[in-house]
Amino acid sequence: MGLLEGRKGIIFGVANEKSIAWAIAQKLHKEGAELAFTFAGEALEKRVRPLADSLGAKLILQCDVTKDDQIQSVFEQVQSSFGYLDILVHAIAFANKEDLKTDFLSTSRDGFRLAHDVSAYSLTALARQAAPLMQGRPGSILTLTYYGAEKVVPRYNVMGVAKAALEASVRYLAADLGPKGIRVNAISAGPIRTLASAGISGFMEMLHYVEAKAPLRRNVTAEEVAGTALYLASDLSSGVTGEVIYVDAGYNIMGM
Ligand code: NAP
């Protein structure tokens, strides 16, 4: 029997087969979870639908996380179709490309607001809707973050500041939802080539740097991140909440 037999989950953030969310979805499905998927815009539906179909998903819903009505509609449909929810995967981030090119000092008010709305606030908005469906269940909410939240990574800029807000949100949400038995954690993943990471100037440099300096002398894969996501989604991590777990080939431990 799989680790997630009888569990129901929803995955936010599959853009294509390279998405970290897709690697996580495959891993959770393999362990028996029934999954719902969302896509941000109609253009993305064409790419998400065949992937979701391949895992037998019944719910494939539109959700731009900056739109409260779309978030509400998603959870209404999850309630009527699933009845309850055990797992929520938040693998969403966005910042204007021009804010990831030069320095943090140049960040516009609108760019700051947008990056924080999509990449940080959305976790709270989704968790608030998910919590009633997780009542009495072994609920697990997880999100994806990056080392640029805590140390300066050139050109990660406003996304680093948004990820810092996201990591703090994980701790506050874990405290709010812990008494209901719902756990909230983050995975801090090393750099992986995806659609989102392609928008960061100098991303290849980040990959080379990790390969040269990380204790394991290589980069991580989305499948390795998915392994930790399975741990966090399942009862294997039943005593763990409010944590940021690194899956980065050990890069974060290095001082010099
Ligand atoms: P990805 O495949 O491009 O996924 C990012 C997802 O965010 C896409 O599905 C994107 O949808 C979605 N998104 C953006 N704006 C949205 C909105 N307003 N509403 C709903 N969804 C929206 O890239 P990824 O690398 O797998 O990213 C997943 C998560 O991992 C992100 O939080 C990222 O910061 C984090 N992470 C990535 C790395 C890395 O190196 N790749 C490392 C550490 C952490 P659209 O494409 O339709 O906009």
Side-chain angles (χ1 to χ4, degrees), residues 159-181:
M159 188 54 81
V161 179
K163 290 296 192 193
L166 178 73
E167 292 184 13
S169 303
V170 163
R171 291 184 282 273
Y172 277 91
L173 290 170
D176 282 352
L177 296 173
K180 296 182 164 71

Side-chain angles (χ1 to χ4, degrees), residues 67-87:
K67 308 236 157 61
D68 285 330
D69 56 333
Q70 291 191 16
I71 293 177
Q72 198 181 332
S73 158
V74 161
F75 285 94
E76 280 167 7
Q77 291 179 75
V78 167
Q79 173 154 39
S80 66
S81 181
F82 283 176
Y84 62 88
L85 193 64
D86 302 297
I87 302 157

Side-chain angles (χ1 to χ4, degrees), residues 29-206:
H29 175 77
K30 206 170 167 199
E31 290 296 324
E34 182 176 354
L35 300 173
F37 290 83
T38 67
F39 55 90
E42 273 155 29
L44 260 283
E45 183 178 3
K46 285 192 204 83
R47 278 194 250 155
V48 177
R49 194 167 282 283
L51 294 174
D53 281 344
S54 74
L55 299 187
K58 286 189 222 112
L59 283 179
I60 306 165
L61 308 165
Q62 180 161 10
C63 188
D64 175 341
V65 294
T66 62
K67 308 236 157 61
D68 285 330
D69 56 333
Q70 291 191 16
I71 293 177
Q72 198 181 332
S73 158
V74 161
F75 285 94
E76 280 167 7
Q77 291 179 75
V78 167
Q79 173 154 39
S80 66
S81 181
F82 283 176
Y84 62 88
L85 193 64
D86 302 297
I87 302 157
L88 187 155
V89 175
H90 172 277
I92 287 172
F94 184 81
N96 287 327
K97 241 182 170 171
E98 63 264 25
D99 289 328
L100 305 176
K101 266 192 185 139
T102 55
D103 56 10
F104 176 65
L105 188 65
S106 313
T107 312
S108 67
R109 189 182 297 276
D110 280 347
F112 189 96
R113 189 185 289 133
L114 179 65
H116 283 70
D117 191 5
V118 176
S119 317
Y121 179 71
S122 60
L123 180 69
T124 299
L126 298 182
R128 191 165 52 245
Q129 295 285 334
L133 298 178
M134 291 181 164
Q135 195 81 38
R137 304 284 310 170
S140 174
I141 296 173
L142 59 110
T143 186
L144 272 301
T145 185
Y146 174 62
Y147 187 62
E150 45 186 307
K151 293 284 190 284
V152 174
V153 174
R155 295 178 294 273
Y156 200 62
N157 300 347
V158 70
M159 188 54 81
V161 179
K163 290 296 192 193
L166 178 73
E167 292 184 13
S169 303
V170 163
R171 291 184 282 273
Y172 277 91
L173 290 170
D176 282 352
L177 296 173
K180 296 182 164 71
I182 300 168
R183 300 182 295 110
V184 188
N185 292 288
I187 299 172
S188 185
I192 297 170
R193 290 175 83 156
T194 62
L195 210 56
S197 63
I200 304 164
S201 304
F203 181 74
M204 290 307 288
E205 205 185 315
M206 283 160 79

